[in-house]
mmCIF file with all atom_site columns, all heavy atoms in Angstrom:
data_model
loop_
_atom_site.group_PDB
_atom_site.id
_atom_site.type_symbol
_atom_site.label_atom_id
_atom_site.label_alt_id
_atom_site.label_comp_id
_atom_site.label_asym_id
_atom_site.label_entity_id
_atom_site.label_seq_id
_atom_site.pdbx_PDB_ins_code
_atom_site.Cartn_x
_atom_site.Cartn_y
_atom_site.Cartn_z
_atom_site.occupancy
_atom_site.B_iso_or_equiv
_atom_site.pdbx_formal_charge
_atom_site.auth_seq_id
_atom_site.auth_comp_id
_atom_site.auth_asym_id
_atom_site.auth_atom_id
_atom_site.pdbx_PDB_model_num
ATOM 1   N N   . ASP A 1 1  ? 158.554 123.516 176.139 1.00 91.00 ? 1  ASP A N   1
ATOM 2   C CA  . ASP A 1 1  ? 159.763 123.440 176.966 1.00 91.00 ? 1  ASP A CA  1
ATOM 3   C C   . ASP A 1 1  ? 160.571 122.171 176.687 1.00 91.00 ? 1  ASP A C   1
ATOM 4   O O   . ASP A 1 1  ? 161.768 122.130 176.946 1.00 91.00 ? 1  ASP A O   1
ATOM 5   C CB  . ASP A 1 1  ? 159.417 123.536 178.455 1.00 91.00 ? 1  ASP A CB  1
ATOM 6   C CG  . ASP A 1 1  ? 158.378 122.522 178.874 1.00 91.00 ? 1  ASP A CG  1
ATOM 7   O OD1 . ASP A 1 1  ? 157.184 122.741 178.591 1.00 91.00 ? 1  ASP A OD1 1
ATOM 8   O OD2 . ASP A 1 1  ? 158.758 121.496 179.466 1.00 91.00 ? 1  ASP A OD2 1
ATOM 9   N N   . ALA A 1 2  ? 159.931 121.146 176.140 1.00 90.00 ? 2  ALA A N   1
ATOM 10  C CA  . ALA A 1 2  ? 160.654 119.918 175.786 1.00 90.00 ? 2  ALA A CA  1
ATOM 11  C C   . ALA A 1 2  ? 161.621 120.159 174.626 1.00 90.00 ? 2  ALA A C   1
ATOM 12  O O   . ALA A 1 2  ? 162.650 119.493 174.518 1.00 90.00 ? 2  ALA A O   1
ATOM 13  C CB  . ALA A 1 2  ? 159.674 118.809 175.415 1.00 90.00 ? 2  ALA A CB  1
ATOM 14  N N   . LEU A 1 3  ? 161.303 121.126 173.758 1.00 90.00 ? 3  LEU A N   1
ATOM 15  C CA  . LEU A 1 3  ? 162.174 121.456 172.634 1.00 90.00 ? 3  LEU A CA  1
ATOM 16  C C   . LEU A 1 3  ? 163.144 122.587 172.961 1.00 90.00 ? 3  LEU A C   1
ATOM 17  O O   . LEU A 1 3  ? 164.232 122.644 172.401 1.00 90.00 ? 3  LEU A O   1
ATOM 18  C CB  . LEU A 1 3  ? 161.344 121.899 171.421 1.00 90.00 ? 3  LEU A CB  1
ATOM 19  C CG  . LEU A 1 3  ? 160.584 120.841 170.660 1.00 90.00 ? 3  LEU A CG  1
ATOM 20  C CD1 . LEU A 1 3  ? 159.793 121.481 169.537 1.00 90.00 ? 3  LEU A CD1 1
ATOM 21  C CD2 . LEU A 1 3  ? 161.511 119.786 170.122 1.00 90.00 ? 3  LEU A CD2 1
ATOM 22  N N   . CYS A 1 4  ? 162.725 123.484 173.821 1.00 90.00 ? 4  CYS A N   1
ATOM 23  C CA  . CYS A 1 4  ? 163.492 124.710 174.054 1.00 90.00 ? 4  CYS A CA  1
ATOM 24  C C   . CYS A 1 4  ? 163.814 124.937 175.519 1.00 90.00 ? 4  CYS A C   1
ATOM 25  O O   . CYS A 1 4  ? 163.432 125.956 176.104 1.00 90.00 ? 4  CYS A O   1
ATOM 26  C CB  . CYS A 1 4  ? 162.728 125.904 173.498 1.00 90.00 ? 4  CYS A CB  1
ATOM 27  S SG  . CYS A 1 4  ? 162.482 125.815 171.727 1.00 90.00 ? 4  CYS A SG  1
ATOM 28  N N   . PRO A 1 5  ? 164.526 124.000 176.148 1.00 90.00 ? 5  PRO A N   1
ATOM 29  C CA  . PRO A 1 5  ? 164.908 124.220 177.536 1.00 90.00 ? 5  PRO A CA  1
ATOM 30  C C   . PRO A 1 5  ? 165.969 125.317 177.626 1.00 90.00 ? 5  PRO A C   1
ATOM 31  O O   . PRO A 1 5  ? 166.657 125.609 176.644 1.00 90.00 ? 5  PRO A O   1
ATOM 32  C CB  . PRO A 1 5  ? 165.486 122.868 177.961 1.00 90.00 ? 5  PRO A CB  1
ATOM 33  C CG  . PRO A 1 5  ? 166.031 122.302 176.699 1.00 90.00 ? 5  PRO A CG  1
ATOM 34  C CD  . PRO A 1 5  ? 165.073 122.756 175.615 1.00 90.00 ? 5  PRO A CD  1
ATOM 35  N N   . ARG A 1 6  ? 166.056 125.896 178.785 1.00 89.00 ? 6  ARG A N   1
ATOM 36  C CA  . ARG A 1 6  ? 167.070 126.931 179.037 1.00 89.00 ? 6  ARG A CA  1
ATOM 37  C C   . ARG A 1 6  ? 168.446 126.366 178.699 1.00 89.00 ? 6  ARG A C   1
ATOM 38  O O   . ARG A 1 6  ? 168.827 125.301 179.169 1.00 89.00 ? 6  ARG A O   1
ATOM 39  C CB  . ARG A 1 6  ? 167.003 127.347 180.493 1.00 89.00 ? 6  ARG A CB  1
ATOM 40  C CG  . ARG A 1 6  ? 167.944 128.473 180.872 1.00 89.00 ? 6  ARG A CG  1
ATOM 41  C CD  . ARG A 1 6  ? 167.756 128.848 182.328 1.00 89.00 ? 6  ARG A CD  1
ATOM 42  N NE  . ARG A 1 6  ? 166.420 129.366 182.588 1.00 89.00 ? 6  ARG A NE  1
ATOM 43  C CZ  . ARG A 1 6  ? 166.065 130.645 182.447 1.00 89.00 ? 6  ARG A CZ  1
ATOM 44  N NH1 . ARG A 1 6  ? 166.957 131.514 182.037 1.00 89.00 ? 6  ARG A NH1 1
ATOM 45  N NH2 . ARG A 1 6  ? 164.831 131.027 182.713 1.00 89.00 ? 6  ARG A NH2 1
ATOM 46  N N   . ARG A 1 7  ? 169.186 127.099 177.854 1.00 86.00 ? 7  ARG A N   1
ATOM 47  C CA  . ARG A 1 7  ? 170.531 126.670 177.468 1.00 86.00 ? 7  ARG A CA  1
ATOM 48  C C   . ARG A 1 7  ? 171.551 127.109 178.504 1.00 86.00 ? 7  ARG A C   1
ATOM 49  O O   . ARG A 1 7  ? 171.306 128.005 179.289 1.00 86.00 ? 7  ARG A O   1
ATOM 50  C CB  . ARG A 1 7  ? 170.906 127.249 176.108 1.00 86.00 ? 7  ARG A CB  1
ATOM 51  C CG  . ARG A 1 7  ? 170.118 126.633 174.975 1.00 86.00 ? 7  ARG A CG  1
ATOM 52  C CD  . ARG A 1 7  ? 170.439 127.294 173.674 1.00 86.00 ? 7  ARG A CD  1
ATOM 53  N NE  . ARG A 1 7  ? 169.846 128.638 173.651 1.00 86.00 ? 7  ARG A NE  1
ATOM 54  C CZ  . ARG A 1 7  ? 169.907 129.468 172.622 1.00 86.00 ? 7  ARG A CZ  1
ATOM 55  N NH1 . ARG A 1 7  ? 170.549 129.109 171.533 1.00 86.00 ? 7  ARG A NH1 1
ATOM 56  N NH2 . ARG A 1 7  ? 169.340 130.651 172.669 1.00 86.00 ? 7  ARG A NH2 1
ATOM 57  N N   . GLY A 1 8  ? 172.694 126.476 178.465 1.00 78.00 ? 8  GLY A N   1
ATOM 58  C CA  . GLY A 1 8  ? 173.776 126.792 179.393 1.00 78.00 ? 8  GLY A CA  1
ATOM 59  C C   . GLY A 1 8  ? 174.054 125.578 180.247 1.00 78.00 ? 8  GLY A C   1
ATOM 60  O O   . GLY A 1 8  ? 173.163 124.804 180.550 1.00 78.00 ? 8  GLY A O   1
ATOM 61  N N   . GLY A 1 9  ? 175.274 125.414 180.586 1.00 64.00 ? 9  GLY A N   1
ATOM 62  C CA  . GLY A 1 9  ? 175.629 124.255 181.389 1.00 64.00 ? 9  GLY A CA  1
ATOM 63  C C   . GLY A 1 9  ? 176.308 123.218 180.526 1.00 64.00 ? 9  GLY A C   1
ATOM 64  O O   . GLY A 1 9  ? 176.246 123.246 179.305 1.00 64.00 ? 9  GLY A O   1
ATOM 65  N N   . PRO A 1 10 ? 176.966 122.294 181.175 1.00 60.00 ? 10 PRO A N   1
ATOM 66  C CA  . PRO A 1 10 ? 177.732 121.280 180.441 1.00 60.00 ? 10 PRO A CA  1
ATOM 67  C C   . PRO A 1 10 ? 176.837 120.232 179.771 1.00 60.00 ? 10 PRO A C   1
ATOM 68  O O   . PRO A 1 10 ? 175.731 119.967 180.205 1.00 60.00 ? 10 PRO A O   1
ATOM 69  C CB  . PRO A 1 10 ? 178.581 120.626 181.545 1.00 60.00 ? 10 PRO A CB  1
ATOM 70  C CG  . PRO A 1 10 ? 177.778 120.830 182.804 1.00 60.00 ? 10 PRO A CG  1
ATOM 71  C CD  . PRO A 1 10 ? 177.053 122.141 182.622 1.00 60.00 ? 10 PRO A CD  1
ATOM 72  N N   . HIS A 1 11 ? 177.346 119.675 178.709 1.00 54.00 ? 11 HIS A N   1
ATOM 73  C CA  . HIS A 1 11 ? 176.725 118.525 178.035 1.00 54.00 ? 11 HIS A CA  1
ATOM 74  C C   . HIS A 1 11 ? 175.335 118.828 177.487 1.00 54.00 ? 11 HIS A C   1
ATOM 75  O O   . HIS A 1 11 ? 174.446 117.988 177.536 1.00 54.00 ? 11 HIS A O   1
ATOM 76  C CB  . HIS A 1 11 ? 176.665 117.309 178.974 1.00 54.00 ? 11 HIS A CB  1
ATOM 77  C CG  . HIS A 1 11 ? 177.956 117.044 179.683 1.00 54.00 ? 11 HIS A CG  1
ATOM 78  N ND1 . HIS A 1 11 ? 179.098 116.692 179.015 1.00 54.00 ? 11 HIS A ND1 1
ATOM 79  C CD2 . HIS A 1 11 ? 178.273 117.105 180.990 1.00 54.00 ? 11 HIS A CD2 1
ATOM 80  C CE1 . HIS A 1 11 ? 180.082 116.539 179.885 1.00 54.00 ? 11 HIS A CE1 1
ATOM 81  N NE2 . HIS A 1 11 ? 179.614 116.784 181.089 1.00 54.00 ? 11 HIS A NE2 1
ATOM 82  N N   . GLN A 1 12 ? 175.138 120.029 176.958 1.00 67.00 ? 12 GLN A N   1
ATOM 83  C CA  . GLN A 1 12 ? 173.827 120.364 176.415 1.00 67.00 ? 12 GLN A CA  1
ATOM 84  C C   . GLN A 1 12 ? 173.883 120.709 174.932 1.00 67.00 ? 12 GLN A C   1
ATOM 85  O O   . GLN A 1 12 ? 173.001 121.376 174.427 1.00 67.00 ? 12 GLN A O   1
ATOM 86  C CB  . GLN A 1 12 ? 173.197 121.512 177.189 1.00 67.00 ? 12 GLN A CB  1
ATOM 87  C CG  . GLN A 1 12 ? 172.772 121.126 178.583 1.00 67.00 ? 12 GLN A CG  1
ATOM 88  C CD  . GLN A 1 12 ? 171.878 122.182 179.210 1.00 67.00 ? 12 GLN A CD  1
ATOM 89  O OE1 . GLN A 1 12 ? 171.822 123.310 178.769 1.00 67.00 ? 12 GLN A OE1 1
ATOM 90  N NE2 . GLN A 1 12 ? 171.150 121.780 180.224 1.00 67.00 ? 12 GLN A NE2 1
ATOM 91  N N   . ALA A 1 13 ? 174.909 120.254 174.246 1.00 71.00 ? 13 ALA A N   1
ATOM 92  C CA  . ALA A 1 13 ? 175.047 120.577 172.826 1.00 71.00 ? 13 ALA A CA  1
ATOM 93  C C   . ALA A 1 13 ? 173.841 120.144 172.007 1.00 71.00 ? 13 ALA A C   1
ATOM 94  O O   . ALA A 1 13 ? 173.328 120.933 171.208 1.00 71.00 ? 13 ALA A O   1
ATOM 95  C CB  . ALA A 1 13 ? 176.330 119.985 172.266 1.00 71.00 ? 13 ALA A CB  1
ATOM 96  N N   . PRO A 1 14 ? 173.306 118.920 172.162 1.00 69.00 ? 14 PRO A N   1
ATOM 97  C CA  . PRO A 1 14 ? 172.134 118.549 171.360 1.00 69.00 ? 14 PRO A CA  1
ATOM 98  C C   . PRO A 1 14 ? 170.937 119.455 171.633 1.00 69.00 ? 14 PRO A C   1
ATOM 99  O O   . PRO A 1 14 ? 170.260 119.885 170.700 1.00 69.00 ? 14 PRO A O   1
ATOM 100 C CB  . PRO A 1 14 ? 171.835 117.110 171.790 1.00 69.00 ? 14 PRO A CB  1
ATOM 101 C CG  . PRO A 1 14 ? 173.123 116.592 172.319 1.00 69.00 ? 14 PRO A CG  1
ATOM 102 C CD  . PRO A 1 14 ? 173.802 117.784 172.943 1.00 69.00 ? 14 PRO A CD  1
ATOM 103 N N   . GLU A 1 15 ? 170.687 119.770 172.893 1.00 78.00 ? 15 GLU A N   1
ATOM 104 C CA  . GLU A 1 15 ? 169.563 120.644 173.229 1.00 78.00 ? 15 GLU A CA  1
ATOM 105 C C   . GLU A 1 15 ? 169.776 122.034 172.641 1.00 78.00 ? 15 GLU A C   1
ATOM 106 O O   . GLU A 1 15 ? 168.840 122.649 172.139 1.00 78.00 ? 15 GLU A O   1
ATOM 107 C CB  . GLU A 1 15 ? 169.369 120.745 174.746 1.00 78.00 ? 15 GLU A CB  1
ATOM 108 C CG  . GLU A 1 15 ? 168.855 119.468 175.381 1.00 78.00 ? 15 GLU A CG  1
ATOM 109 C CD  . GLU A 1 15 ? 169.961 118.485 175.753 1.00 78.00 ? 15 GLU A CD  1
ATOM 110 O OE1 . GLU A 1 15 ? 171.141 118.744 175.449 1.00 78.00 ? 15 GLU A OE1 1
ATOM 111 O OE2 . GLU A 1 15 ? 169.637 117.444 176.336 1.00 78.00 ? 15 GLU A OE2 1
ATOM 112 N N   . SER A 1 16 ? 171.008 122.533 172.687 1.00 86.00 ? 16 SER A N   1
ATOM 113 C CA  . SER A 1 16 ? 171.303 123.856 172.139 1.00 86.00 ? 16 SER A CA  1
ATOM 114 C C   . SER A 1 16 ? 171.055 123.906 170.637 1.00 86.00 ? 16 SER A C   1
ATOM 115 O O   . SER A 1 16 ? 170.560 124.907 170.124 1.00 86.00 ? 16 SER A O   1
ATOM 116 C CB  . SER A 1 16 ? 172.748 124.253 172.438 1.00 86.00 ? 16 SER A CB  1
ATOM 117 O OG  . SER A 1 16 ? 172.908 124.483 173.813 1.00 86.00 ? 16 SER A OG  1
ATOM 118 N N   . ARG A 1 17 ? 171.378 122.822 169.936 1.00 89.00 ? 17 ARG A N   1
ATOM 119 C CA  . ARG A 1 17 ? 171.126 122.781 168.487 1.00 89.00 ? 17 ARG A CA  1
ATOM 120 C C   . ARG A 1 17 ? 169.635 122.808 168.199 1.00 89.00 ? 17 ARG A C   1
ATOM 121 O O   . ARG A 1 17 ? 169.182 123.468 167.261 1.00 89.00 ? 17 ARG A O   1
ATOM 122 C CB  . ARG A 1 17 ? 171.778 121.548 167.861 1.00 89.00 ? 17 ARG A CB  1
ATOM 123 C CG  . ARG A 1 17 ? 173.291 121.644 167.760 1.00 89.00 ? 17 ARG A CG  1
ATOM 124 C CD  . ARG A 1 17 ? 173.870 120.568 166.858 1.00 89.00 ? 17 ARG A CD  1
ATOM 125 N NE  . ARG A 1 17 ? 173.471 119.228 167.231 1.00 89.00 ? 17 ARG A NE  1
ATOM 126 C CZ  . ARG A 1 17 ? 174.134 118.440 168.071 1.00 89.00 ? 17 ARG A CZ  1
ATOM 127 N NH1 . ARG A 1 17 ? 175.243 118.874 168.638 1.00 89.00 ? 17 ARG A NH1 1
ATOM 128 N NH2 . ARG A 1 17 ? 173.710 117.227 168.344 1.00 89.00 ? 17 ARG A NH2 1
ATOM 129 N N   . VAL A 1 18 ? 168.853 122.101 168.998 1.00 92.00 ? 18 VAL A N   1
ATOM 130 C CA  . VAL A 1 18 ? 167.395 122.088 168.799 1.00 92.00 ? 18 VAL A CA  1
ATOM 131 C C   . VAL A 1 18 ? 166.820 123.470 169.075 1.00 92.00 ? 18 VAL A C   1
ATOM 132 O O   . VAL A 1 18 ? 166.008 123.986 168.299 1.00 92.00 ? 18 VAL A O   1
ATOM 133 C CB  . VAL A 1 18 ? 166.715 121.015 169.677 1.00 92.00 ? 18 VAL A CB  1
ATOM 134 C CG1 . VAL A 1 18 ? 165.207 121.117 169.581 1.00 92.00 ? 18 VAL A CG1 1
ATOM 135 C CG2 . VAL A 1 18 ? 167.189 119.624 169.285 1.00 92.00 ? 18 VAL A CG2 1
ATOM 136 N N   . VAL A 1 19 ? 167.242 124.098 170.166 1.00 92.00 ? 19 VAL A N   1
ATOM 137 C CA  . VAL A 1 19 ? 166.762 125.450 170.488 1.00 92.00 ? 19 VAL A CA  1
ATOM 138 C C   . VAL A 1 19 ? 167.121 126.394 169.347 1.00 92.00 ? 19 VAL A C   1
ATOM 139 O O   . VAL A 1 19 ? 166.272 127.164 168.884 1.00 92.00 ? 19 VAL A O   1
ATOM 140 C CB  . VAL A 1 19 ? 167.344 125.955 171.828 1.00 92.00 ? 19 VAL A CB  1
ATOM 141 C CG1 . VAL A 1 19 ? 166.966 127.411 172.065 1.00 92.00 ? 19 VAL A CG1 1
ATOM 142 C CG2 . VAL A 1 19 ? 166.861 125.099 172.991 1.00 92.00 ? 19 VAL A CG2 1
ATOM 143 N N   . ALA A 1 20 ? 168.352 126.343 168.879 1.00 92.00 ? 20 ALA A N   1
ATOM 144 C CA  . ALA A 1 20 ? 168.779 127.209 167.773 1.00 92.00 ? 20 ALA A CA  1
ATOM 145 C C   . ALA A 1 20 ? 167.933 126.967 166.531 1.00 92.00 ? 20 ALA A C   1
ATOM 146 O O   . ALA A 1 20 ? 167.550 127.920 165.836 1.00 92.00 ? 20 ALA A O   1
ATOM 147 C CB  . ALA A 1 20 ? 170.260 126.974 167.466 1.00 92.00 ? 20 ALA A CB  1
ATOM 148 N N   . GLN A 1 21 ? 167.602 125.712 166.246 1.00 94.00 ? 21 GLN A N   1
ATOM 149 C CA  . GLN A 1 21 ? 166.771 125.393 165.078 1.00 94.00 ? 21 GLN A CA  1
ATOM 150 C C   . GLN A 1 21 ? 165.374 125.987 165.228 1.00 94.00 ? 21 GLN A C   1
ATOM 151 O O   . GLN A 1 21 ? 164.849 126.600 164.301 1.00 94.00 ? 21 GLN A O   1
ATOM 152 C CB  . GLN A 1 21 ? 166.673 123.879 164.895 1.00 94.00 ? 21 GLN A CB  1
ATOM 153 C CG  . GLN A 1 21 ? 165.836 123.459 163.699 1.00 94.00 ? 21 GLN A CG  1
ATOM 154 C CD  . GLN A 1 21 ? 166.507 123.816 162.394 1.00 94.00 ? 21 GLN A CD  1
ATOM 155 O OE1 . GLN A 1 21 ? 167.407 123.144 161.955 1.00 94.00 ? 21 GLN A OE1 1
ATOM 156 N NE2 . GLN A 1 21 ? 166.079 124.896 161.778 1.00 94.00 ? 21 GLN A NE2 1
ATOM 157 N N   . VAL A 1 22 ? 164.775 125.832 166.398 1.00 93.00 ? 22 VAL A N   1
ATOM 158 C CA  . VAL A 1 22 ? 163.433 126.389 166.636 1.00 93.00 ? 22 VAL A CA  1
ATOM 159 C C   . VAL A 1 22 ? 163.465 127.912 166.504 1.00 93.00 ? 22 VAL A C   1
ATOM 160 O O   . VAL A 1 22 ? 162.592 128.507 165.855 1.00 93.00 ? 22 VAL A O   1
ATOM 161 C CB  . VAL A 1 22 ? 162.881 125.956 168.010 1.00 93.00 ? 22 VAL A CB  1
ATOM 162 C CG1 . VAL A 1 22 ? 161.596 126.708 168.343 1.00 93.00 ? 22 VAL A CG1 1
ATOM 163 C CG2 . VAL A 1 22 ? 162.644 124.450 168.051 1.00 93.00 ? 22 VAL A CG2 1
ATOM 164 N N   . LEU A 1 23 ? 164.469 128.554 167.089 1.00 92.00 ? 23 LEU A N   1
ATOM 165 C CA  . LEU A 1 23 ? 164.564 130.014 167.016 1.00 92.00 ? 23 LEU A CA  1
ATOM 166 C C   . LEU A 1 23 ? 164.715 130.485 165.577 1.00 92.00 ? 23 LEU A C   1
ATOM 167 O O   . LEU A 1 23 ? 164.071 131.454 165.159 1.00 92.00 ? 23 LEU A O   1
ATOM 168 C CB  . LEU A 1 23 ? 165.739 130.508 167.866 1.00 92.00 ? 23 LEU A CB  1
ATOM 169 C CG  . LEU A 1 23 ? 165.619 130.271 169.365 1.00 92.00 ? 23 LEU A CG  1
ATOM 170 C CD1 . LEU A 1 23 ? 166.906 130.679 170.074 1.00 92.00 ? 23 LEU A CD1 1
ATOM 171 C CD2 . LEU A 1 23 ? 164.419 130.982 169.953 1.00 92.00 ? 23 LEU A CD2 1
ATOM 172 N N   . THR A 1 24 ? 165.534 129.802 164.800 1.00 92.00 ? 24 THR A N   1
ATOM 173 C CA  . THR A 1 24 ? 165.717 130.156 163.387 1.00 92.00 ? 24 THR A CA  1
ATOM 174 C C   . THR A 1 24 ? 164.406 130.028 162.617 1.00 92.00 ? 24 THR A C   1
ATOM 175 O O   . THR A 1 24 ? 164.040 130.903 161.831 1.00 92.00 ? 24 THR A O   1
ATOM 176 C CB  . THR A 1 24 ? 166.795 129.253 162.751 1.00 92.00 ? 24 THR A CB  1
ATOM 177 O OG1 . THR A 1 24 ? 168.023 129.474 163.432 1.00 92.00 ? 24 THR A OG1 1
ATOM 178 C CG2 . THR A 1 24 ? 166.962 129.542 161.272 1.00 92.00 ? 24 THR A CG2 1
#
């Protein structure tokens, strides 16, 4: 969960990139 927190909401661009990387 430290790498892949639920996306959505303001100011989460870095987290979204990490989640996208893990999913890929």
Side-chain angles (χ1 to χ4, degrees):
D1 53 283
L3 286 178
C4 298
R6 183 178 297 273
R7 290 176 288 182
H11 313 296
Q12 290 193 343
E15 290 86 356
S16 291
R17 287 193 306 269
V18 174
V19 173
Q21 180 69 78
V22 171
L23 295 174
T24 298

